[in-house]
Amino acid sequence: EWTIKALNEEKASGFVLDEINHVRKELDLKGYSSEVIIVDGKSTDNTVMIAESKGAQVVISERGYGQQYKRGFEYATGDIIVTGDTDLTYPLEDVSYLINFLVGKNIDFITTNRFAYMDKNAMGLTHKIGNAILTWFTKGLFFINIKDSQSGMWIFKREILKRLNLTYTGMSFSQEIKIEAFKKSKAKELPIRYRERIGEVKLDTYKDGFNNLFQLIKKRFKLIK
C-alpha cells in the first residue's frame, strides 16, 4: 500500500504518481498487488484532481505531517506500507528493490538515508546542519544507529503498527516512528538518492527543528505519555 502525503503539490504530484504507477507494474509481475492512497492536507490547488486522474484513492486529512500519515495508515490494508512525498524528492522508482530487501532479509521496517546520494541542490546548509543535530541527539538519547533521523521514506510491514506508540501529529512523527520501530521490531536504514524538490518548501527549519529536538528530549525522559 502506497501511503503518500500531499499538500499543494500540483507541480510535482503527477510526475510522482506516474513514477509510482510504473513501479506498480513491476510489482505486479512479481506477484505484489498494490493501491495508492494520497493523504491530502486540504490542498487549495489541483493536487486532489491530479491524484484522482492518476488512479489514486484520495483521503482528506487535517494538516500535519504525523496527522496525515496516521490518517493514511487507518485506510491502508496492504501487508506492506510505503511512504513518501509528492514533491519528487524521494526515489520511489527504487521501491521494488527495497521491498525485495525487506522480504528477503525478513526485516520489519526500512528507513532511508537521504544523505548517501543527495543531489547538490536538494537541501540547504541550514537544513543539513539541523538534520545532523537531530540525528546526533536521536542516536545519543535512544542508542539507534542511523544517519538520517528525519527521512520520510519508509517501507514496513503494516502489522508492526500495533506495536508502536505513535503520539505525535507534526514533523516529529518522522523521528518517533523510527525510534519506535528500531526499539520494537527488526529495522534497518538503507541509502537512497535524494533529489531537488519541485514546488514550495513548507518546512520551517528553525521552528520545526527546535520542536523536534524538544520532542526527542520529552520522549526520552518520559515527559509525555
Side-chain angles (χ1 to χ4, degrees):
E1 197 89 43
W2 302 75
T3 305
I4 311 294
K5 68 178 184 63
L7 176 61
N8 294 329
E9 299 287 3
E10 65 179 4
K11 293 181 179 179
S13 57
F15 297 111
V16 172
L17 284 161
D18 286 343
E19 196 171 82
I20 289 173
N21 286 332
H22 177 75
V23 177
R24 290 176 67 201
K25 292 178 182 178
E26 292 181 13
L27 292 173
D28 283 342
L29 295 175
K30 295 179 180 180
Y32 296 105
S33 60
S34 63
E35 301 295 335
V36 183
I37 298 174
I38 295 295
V39 189
D40 185 78
K42 299 182 179 179
S43 293
T44 56
D45 63 4
N46 293 316
T47 298
V48 169
M49 182 185 71
I50 292 169
E52 291 177 338
S53 74
K54 299 290 184 178
Q57 176 188 357
V58 176
V59 173
I60 304 300
S61 168
E62 295 298 323
R63 292 187 183 185
Y65 189 95
Q67 183 69 35
Q68 286 177 242
Y69 273 127
K70 285 183 173 183
R71 180 76 166 161
F73 295 163
E74 291 175 359
Y75 283 82
T77 58
D79 294 331
I80 296 173
I81 293 177
V82 177
T83 69
D85 286 343
T86 45
D87 58 12
L88 209 61
T89 51
Y90 290 103
L92 296 176
E93 74 269 19
D94 294 341
V95 163
S96 181
Y97 159 74
L98 294 169
I99 289 177
N100 285 340
F101 194 99
L102 182 91
V103 174
K105 301 293 186 179
N106 193 29
I107 294 170
D108 298 315
F109 182 95
I110 291 175
T111 185
T112 54
N113 173 21
R114 298 168 296 170
F115 295 95
Y117 307 109
M118 181 179 288
D119 288 357
K120 181 179 179 181
N121 298 317
M123 188 182 296
L125 179 59
T126 303
H127 194 174
K128 288 180 180 178
I129 293 172
N131 270 271
I133 292 171
L134 290 171
T135 298
W136 187 85
F137 271 94
T138 302
K139 293 170 65 174
L141 291 173
F142 296 95
F143 309 105
I144 296 172
N145 186 24
I146 59 175
K147 297 179 180 179
D148 184 3
S149 67
Q150 306 301 307
S151 174
M153 184 176 178
W154 323 309
I155 299 87
F156 62 94
K157 296 175 182 177
R158 183 171 61 91
E159 65 179 11
I160 73 167
L161 284 172
K162 60 180 178 288
R163 301 182 224 159
L164 311 184
N165 181 29
L166 302 174
T167 61
Y168 300 137
T169 58
M171 290 298 298
S172 53
F173 180 85
S174 180
Q175 59 197 21
E176 181 182 42
I177 195 170
K178 297 178 186 71
I179 292 166
E180 289 285 317
F182 272 78
K183 291 295 186 182
K184 299 176 181 178
S185 70
K186 187 177 180 181
K188 187 173 181 62
E189 181 182 61
L190 293 179
I192 58 166
R193 293 181 306 111
Y194 189 68
R195 304 173 291 205
E196 184 176 1
R197 68 168 289 131
I198 295 177
E200 178 187 354
V201 176
K202 302 176 182 67
L203 177 70
D204 186 325
T205 302
Y206 295 102
K207 179 181 177 181
D208 290 326
F210 281 115
N211 181 65
N212 282 9
L213 179 57
F214 179 58
Q215 298 298 345
L216 279 174
I217 294 170
K218 286 177 68 175
K219 185 173 183 69
R220 175 62 182 86
F221 296 105
K222 302 185 185 300
L223 299 176
I224 187 170
K225 298 295 185 183

